[in-house]
Amino acid sequence: MTREEYCAKKDEAIAQFDFQGEVMDAELYGSGHINDTFLVRCRDNGRTINYILQRMNHEIFKNPIELMENIVNVTSFLRKKIISNHGDPDRETMNIVPTKDGKKYYRDSIGSYWRSYQFIKNALTLDIVERAEEFYESAFAFGNFQNLLSDYPAETLHETIPNFHNTPDRYQKFLTAVKNDPLGRAASVQEEIRFVMEREDFTHTLIRAQKKGDLPLRVTHNDTKLNNVMLDEKTRKAVCVIDLDTVMPGFSVTDFGDSIRFGASTGAEDEPDLSKVNLDLSLFELYTKGYLEGCSGSLTETELDLLPAGAKMMTLECGMRFLTDYLEGDTYFRIHREGHNLDRCRTQFKLVSDMEQHWGDMKQIIDQFR
């Protein structure tokens, strides 16, 4: 089905939610690629009240009911924490708008799942860093998110995408793709295949530490990109962490690591010229400072020790996934040119190599802010 077909009952869904005032219109909103997001404008006693309405993509998230249970429980917990800290719970966390019969989501007559959030006023998101301070603010926001949820029982959350950051599991899927080689591409990427295989033992680092009891299970966001932090329009200070679909049990160091992978690289994720791809240590330092200040001492010494490993792990894992998809015929990640996934995997592997060369620098920066 197309997006239009999945959203055919949008008006039916709108009628079910407990919006204040009369609904005026609903337009597509934002730059997300997974869910379908609409801005709903209502009119009440001469003032406009906006809401966010989303159709959840149940092809990606196979169990939207469990997903919504996670979001309801985490946002309720955050709201209580923010109130106890004398913050603004209407701006500092997402707030679910219930249906008229009190439910947290609505399933329409063709089986699409819908939810709604209060609109956070006078705030924006950025797809790229315009000023270095904004990268710091995103780091602080994700660190603060970790801190606020540091005493939440992570094991009670559902895994919305099983084995999402289980790197050894990703490695086994990679080996299967190499063995099956459905398009005969493996022969031309032996260097890349060897790069991954040489780091097979490293892929077990975090899982091994967790099994030994050294690395605690945390509530993790799992999509710590800049555009998942709302910034105040005027001050550009972090307001709220959004897009909680992948909130589930995980490791704090992978949330940190994915931000570094994406935000502290000098090149684009699909840059063909690898001479342009390196780890920007100044951005690594800036993000580390913001993240640890946001965490406010809530991480253990082992977590601090493993932050560089988290950065390398997420970068290696992502590159491995790009290479796996290339070998399997580009069936998962959308491509825009021949060899696009191969370019993507090579940028990640170049970044891994650069991290390995600057391992001592990364650890020194972590120690600076412990």
Side-chain angles (χ1 to χ4, degrees), residues 43-98:
R43 197 73 175 165
D44 183 58
N45 293 323
R47 63 190 181 113
T48 300
I49 304 174
N50 294 333
Y51 298 93
I52 292 294
L53 177 74
Q54 284 186 325
R55 181 195 72 84
M56 292 178 273
N57 188 332
H58 58 271
E59 291 186 326
I60 300 294
F61 301 105
K62 305 294 186 182
N63 197 326
I65 296 174
E66 288 187 353
L67 181 153
M68 285 307 297
E69 285 180 7
N70 280 359
I71 292 176
V72 168
N73 291 335
V74 166
T75 54
S76 298
F77 188 91
L78 285 171
R79 187 174 177 87
K80 291 176 183 176
K81 277 293 184 78
I82 291 163
I83 290 172
S84 70
N85 292 341
H86 308 291
D88 183 350
D90 292 329
R91 270 173 69 79
E92 294 176 33
T93 187
M94 301 177 74
N95 289 273
I96 295 168
V97 178

Side-chain angles (χ1 to χ4, degrees), residues 159 162-173 203-204 207 251 314 317 320:
E159 263 194 289
N163 292 315
F164 187 53
H165 284 322
N166 183 335
T167 314
D169 182 73
R170 297 283 189 186
Y171 182 79
Q172 291 304 314
K173 289 180 171 63
T203 65
H204 296 269
I207 297 293
F251 305 133
M314 287 300 92
E317 180 185 292
M320 187 163 53

Side-chain angles (χ1 to χ4, degrees), residues 307-343:
L307 286 175
K312 179 181 170 182
M313 189 72 72
M314 287 300 92
T315 311
L316 178 64
E317 180 185 292
C318 193
M320 187 163 53
R321 291 176 65 194
F322 286 140
L323 181 56
T324 300
D325 198 33
Y326 176 75
L327 292 169
E328 292 179 338
D330 307 305
T331 59
Y332 185 84
F333 295 105
R334 187 177 299 171
I335 62 169
H336 304 291
R337 61 176 183 267
E338 187 71 23
H340 199 174
N341 274 323
L342 189 54
D343 286 338

Side-chain angles (χ1 to χ4, degrees), residues 268-277 337 343-344 346-347:
E269 193 174 63
D270 56 358
E271 174 57 61
D273 183 355
L274 295 182
S275 68
K276 297 180 180 178
V277 180
R337 61 176 183 267
D343 286 338
R344 288 165 169 159
R346 285 170 174 163
T347 63

Side-chain angles (χ1 to χ4, degrees), residues 16-272:
Q16 299 300 314
F17 285 94
D18 191 19
F19 297 138
Q20 186 175 343
E22 178 186 358
V23 175
M24 306 298 291
D25 55 44
E27 298 179 347
L28 278 170
Y29 183 78
S31 58
H33 299 297
I34 296 178
N35 301 313
D36 297 307
T37 304
F38 299 87
L39 178 66
V40 179
R41 295 191 313 130
C42 298
R43 197 73 175 165
D44 183 58
N45 293 323
R47 63 190 181 113
T48 300
I49 304 174
N50 294 333
Y51 298 93
I52 292 294
L53 177 74
Q54 284 186 325
R55 181 195 72 84
M56 292 178 273
N57 188 332
H58 58 271
E59 291 186 326
I60 300 294
F61 301 105
K62 305 294 186 182
N63 197 326
I65 296 174
E66 288 187 353
L67 181 153
M68 285 307 297
E69 285 180 7
N70 280 359
I71 292 176
V72 168
N73 291 335
V74 166
T75 54
S76 298
F77 188 91
L78 285 171
R79 187 174 177 87
K80 291 176 183 176
K81 277 293 184 78
I82 291 163
I83 290 172
S84 70
N85 292 341
H86 308 291
D88 183 350
D90 292 329
R91 270 173 69 79
E92 294 176 33
T93 187
M94 301 177 74
N95 289 273
I96 295 168
V97 178
T99 61
K100 290 174 180 175
D101 58 358
K103 294 181 179 179
K104 304 301 183 182
Y105 65 90
Y106 173 69
R107 188 183 186 195
D108 68 27
S109 54
I110 60 171
S112 290
Y113 289 83
W114 299 82
R115 66 182 172 210
S116 180
Y117 295 107
Q118 293 178 15
F119 185 80
I120 298 176
K121 296 185 291 186
N122 304 317
L124 51 79
T125 59
L126 299 173
D127 289 321
I128 59 172
V129 173
E130 296 175 3
R131 299 195 299 262
E133 293 82 2
E134 294 155 357
F135 193 45
Y136 167 87
E137 286 297 323
S138 73
F140 185 88
F142 285 120
N144 185 53
F145 182 81
Q146 187 61 243
N147 181 44
L148 290 173
L149 294 166
S150 60
D151 56 347
Y152 189 102
E155 68 281 356
T156 64
L157 294 175
H158 302 289
E159 263 194 289
T160 51
I161 303 178
N163 292 315
F164 187 53
H165 284 322
N166 183 335
T167 314
D169 182 73
R170 297 283 189 186
Y171 182 79
Q172 291 304 314
K173 289 180 171 63
F174 156 75
L175 289 182
T176 300
V178 172
K179 179 181 178 181
N180 293 340
D181 193 20
L183 300 182
R185 291 177 169 180
S188 64
V189 290
Q190 286 300 301
E191 184 179 346
E192 288 78 12
I193 291 171
R194 186 164 52 252
F195 185 92
V196 176
M197 289 183 169
E198 288 172 350
R199 289 158 180 80
E200 188 272 337
D201 184 66
F202 173 76
T203 65
H204 296 269
T205 302
L206 302 183
I207 297 293
R208 192 181 293 138
Q210 193 249 338
K211 286 181 177 178
K212 287 173 59 180
D214 295 335
L215 185 61
L217 203 63
R218 301 279 194 182
V219 179
T220 46
H221 186 278
N222 294 299
D223 192 14
T224 51
K225 298 195 299 289
L226 175 71
N227 60 9
N228 281 332
V229 174
M230 300 206 76
L231 305 175
D232 185 271
E233 286 180 348
K234 291 183 178 179
T235 66
R236 295 295 175 100
K237 296 288 186 182
V239 173
C240 177
V241 169
I242 61 172
D243 192 358
L244 305 182
D245 286 343
T246 52
V247 163
M248 53 185 155
F251 305 133
S252 61
V253 299
T254 58
D255 266 6
F256 171 86
D258 207 28
S259 289
I260 296 301
R261 178 195 73 79
F262 189 81
S265 173
T266 58
E269 193 174 63
D270 56 358
E271 174 57 61

